[in-house]
Amino acid sequence: MISSLSDIIIDVAPEGKASKFLPLPFHPINPCIFADLPLLLRGDNTFVGAYSRKFEWQIRYQRGDDTPTIGVASTVTGCGESPFQDGAAVLKYSLDRHSAANGNGRYNYQTYIFYHPNATSCVLPLQALGFTLIKRATPIRVEEIQGEELRERIVKNGCCGEKELIKLEAYRLVQHPLVIHVDLDVLILKPMDDVIDFMLHPTTRQYNLQKVPLMWPEKPIPNDIQLLFTKDYNMVGPKRRDKPFQGGFFIIKPSLEAYDEFIRIVKEGDYHVKGGWGKKVGPFYGGMTIQGLLPYFYEHLHPGRAVELNRCIYNNMNDNPFMERKNGEKRCRTDQESCEDCRFRPKEDVVTFHFTICQKPWSCLSFRSQQDKFKLCREMNHEWFAYRSKLEQTWGRSGFGPGEFKPNHYLGYCSDRGTGGYLPIALPYGQA
């Protein structure tokens, strides 16, 4: 039986033999731990032993075979009428385009969809796109929450109520060194190598710090970065110290210990309508779940473990950085004397874009207004359809739809204005 990491490395890759990683099914006792005890086989299929899959990336990296595979997860809490499946398809294609497998990045990605049982029927087709589907109920039952104010209100909080807590399942993907959680209305436009290098090696400087877009570069860098995130400054006033973390994009180091602590925090329910978590964070939109839990955890309970990225480059939402008064006075929502306006950041600089303020691509907007402050919205909207077109071309399709509504912009995938005019990606995926 293998007793140390060095034993694993020796036995996994014997002289002249290729190693194999054969994951077992879900752990029979704890099915929430993904492939808890994979087998180790030599190249001749001789059984060597077993090891915890959470160390697989370390083994591969130490052997020098390849760089670790980064997990990328998204969460679906229900079906509804939105064609989020197309968002998932374009998101995955944009991610794959900027990966090592396509020669356009240093890292490869394994993609997951956490889905609530209510979303089963609409999520299953995504398996054909290469997603690993993981069914997960809400990690806590509302009646288990001890705090009365949280227990009575969480089901109506934010976009998805208590189901938003399913995003915490990303912390359990411990077979990856890092997991990026993104909403399905996000587009990846460039490789994310620089921030991944930064998070994996914050003290060894195996990265170019000038390429890491930090929101506050003057702040000290933690020796062990557990979270990279952006903030949603538009949710609160400039003077508020407790700013919500944006729940549509964040990068974590998976940890079962952190996951368990999050669950304990929610069950204890130390949330107050007027004071938020621990009377320190909140209230604001989505504050009872991810957007409030993350800042409470990383800024108050465990400070010095998280780094904020520049939201104009990562998770750009084309948001207005100013609070504008009736007298024309403007104040930066970051409470700075001056601040960057992400709406005017060149699209070539943006690494990930989040379709929130700009509306979803499948809204088939008319774009009658050509104001400069919405230029990035128009550019990114068209970019999303360009990625969809290229994806369909890889399947042997023409890359153009039959729609006649603004065909130069929507490439034939909109027949009229509004979501009713959007022409979804035809099934089956991957076929002409």
Side-chain angles (χ1 to χ4, degrees):
M1 182 64 66
I2 293 171
S3 59
S4 69
L5 184 61
S6 60
D7 290 334
I8 293 175
I9 295 171
I10 293 170
D11 285 329
V12 168
E15 186 73 18
K17 298 289 186 179
S19 63
K20 293 186 179 181
F21 294 85
L22 180 63
L24 290 175
F26 290 112
H27 193 283
I29 297 176
N30 185 356
C32 293
I33 297 179
F34 204 21
D36 186 56
L37 293 174
L39 301 178
L40 289 180
L41 302 178
R42 299 182 193 273
D44 57 2
N45 286 335
T46 302
F47 175 70
V48 174
Y51 71 101
S52 173
R53 187 176 175 124
K54 71 179 290 186
F55 296 116
E56 178 176 331
W57 71 272
Q58 295 174 328
I59 297 165
R60 290 177 174 272
Y61 193 67
Q62 195 160 336
R63 276 210 321 259
D65 288 358
D66 51 16
T67 53
T69 298
I70 306 302
V72 178
S74 300
T75 297
V76 179
T77 59
C79 290
E81 298 180 357
S82 173
F84 71 86
Q85 299 91 338
D86 287 18
V90 175
L91 168 64
K92 189 175 190 310
Y93 176 69
S94 69
L95 186 68
D96 290 343
R97 278 196 64 185
H98 301 296
S99 67
N102 281 294
N104 193 24
R106 292 190 295 275
Y107 293 93
N108 286 315
Y109 303 94
Q110 184 169 346
T111 50
Y112 303 86
I113 297 287
F114 296 116
Y115 67 99
H116 189 272
N118 291 349
T120 300
S121 61
C122 54
V123 163
L124 290 180
L126 300 182
Q127 194 166 14
L129 293 168
F131 286 99
T132 297
L133 305 183
I134 305 177
K135 183 188 292 186
R136 287 290 183 265
T138 305
I140 55 97
R141 296 193 302 272
V142 173
E143 58 268 25
E144 294 179 314
I145 300 174
Q146 298 172 25
E148 181 180 354
E149 295 184 43
L150 182 66
R151 184 176 63 249
E152 292 182 349
R153 292 170 172 81
I154 192 171
V155 295
K156 296 182 178 180
N157 187 251
C159 72
C160 314
E162 80 284 4
K163 296 183 182 68
E164 183 79 354
L165 295 171
I166 296 174
K167 289 183 178 182
L168 294 175
E169 295 294 323
Y171 282 89
R172 306 178 86 164
L173 296 178
V174 293
Q175 65 269 32
H176 299 286
L178 304 178
V179 173
I180 305 168
H181 194 288
V182 291
D183 286 352
L184 294 176
D185 55 353
V186 169
L187 185 65
I188 312 297
L189 297 141
K190 298 170 71 173
M192 295 181 282
D193 299 344
D194 294 320
V195 296
I196 293 173
D197 289 343
F198 171 63
M199 194 166 181
L200 288 175
H201 314 288
T203 58
T204 58
R205 297 293 188 268
Q206 296 182 26
Y207 58 89
N208 185 345
L209 186 57
Q210 293 182 343
K211 293 183 178 181
V212 180
L214 303 179
M215 185 65 189
W216 309 103
E218 69 278 5
K219 289 187 176 182
I221 296 172
N223 292 332
D224 182 15
I225 301 173
Q226 297 291 318
L227 172 75
L228 293 178
F229 66 97
T230 63
K231 287 188 177 182
D232 204 337
Y233 289 96
N234 281 48
M235 292 294 178
V236 295
K239 287 295 183 181
R240 279 274 296 268
R241 296 186 62 184
D242 56 321
K243 310 287 189 184
F245 286 16
Q246 222 293 319
F249 176 91
F250 53 92
I251 309 176
I252 63 168
K253 282 186 177 174
S255 164
L256 296 179
E257 292 78 10
Y259 175 85
D260 290 341
E261 186 172 355
F262 275 115
I263 299 304
R264 286 197 302 271
I265 292 169
V266 177
K267 286 184 176 180
E268 290 171 2
D270 184 17
Y271 183 92
H272 307 268
V273 173
K274 294 184 178 180
W277 288 102
K279 296 183 178 179
K280 295 178 179 178
V281 178
F284 41 70
Y285 182 83
M288 295 183 188
T289 58
I290 297 300
Q291 302 213 145
L293 271 173
L294 291 181
Y296 180 53
F297 189 91
Y298 289 103
E299 293 190 332
H300 295 277
L301 300 181
H302 302 285
R305 298 185 182 184
V307 176
E308 183 180 356
L309 296 175
N310 185 325
R311 76 187 190 288
C312 295
I313 298 177
Y314 277 86
N315 206 31
N316 188 313
M317 299 188 295
N318 202 72
D319 62 295
N320 183 351
F322 305 109
M323 175 178 281
E324 302 183 17
R325 303 185 184 278
K326 292 181 179 180
N327 61 5
E329 178 186 349
K330 293 183 178 180
R331 187 189 188 104
C332 291
R333 290 185 174 273
T334 55
D335 202 27
Q336 298 168 287
E337 291 296 324
S338 62
C339 52
E340 180 180 4
D341 192 333
C342 297
R343 298 174 294 181
F344 299 99
R345 171 67 73 153
K347 72 171 185 176
E348 294 79 14
D349 294 347
V350 178
V351 178
T352 73
F353 191 83
H354 191 182
F355 291 94
T356 54
I357 295 170
C358 292
Q359 304 302 307
K360 311 307 178 197
W362 43 86
S363 297
C364 295
L365 300 175
S366 63
F367 291 116
R368 291 177 180 174
S369 173
Q370 294 293 304
Q371 297 181 56
D372 286 345
K373 63 183 179 181
F374 295 118
K375 178 185 176 184
L376 188 60
C377 284
R378 297 191 295 273
E379 292 176 335
M380 290 301 179
N381 185 288
H382 176 70
E383 197 72 15
W384 189 91
F385 281 92
Y387 271 79
R388 172 182 165 172
S389 173
K390 292 171 184 174
L391 168 62
E392 296 206 44
Q393 289 177 54
T394 66
W395 298 341
R397 302 180 185 180
S398 68
F400 296 92
E404 297 181 354
F405 181 67
K406 293 186 174 295
N408 291 334
H409 182 96
Y410 291 116
L411 306 179
Y413 296 128
C414 289
S415 61
D416 200 355
R417 178 185 178 185
T419 54
Y422 178 72
L423 304 177
I425 298 175
L427 297 175
Y429 296 129
Q431 298 183 25

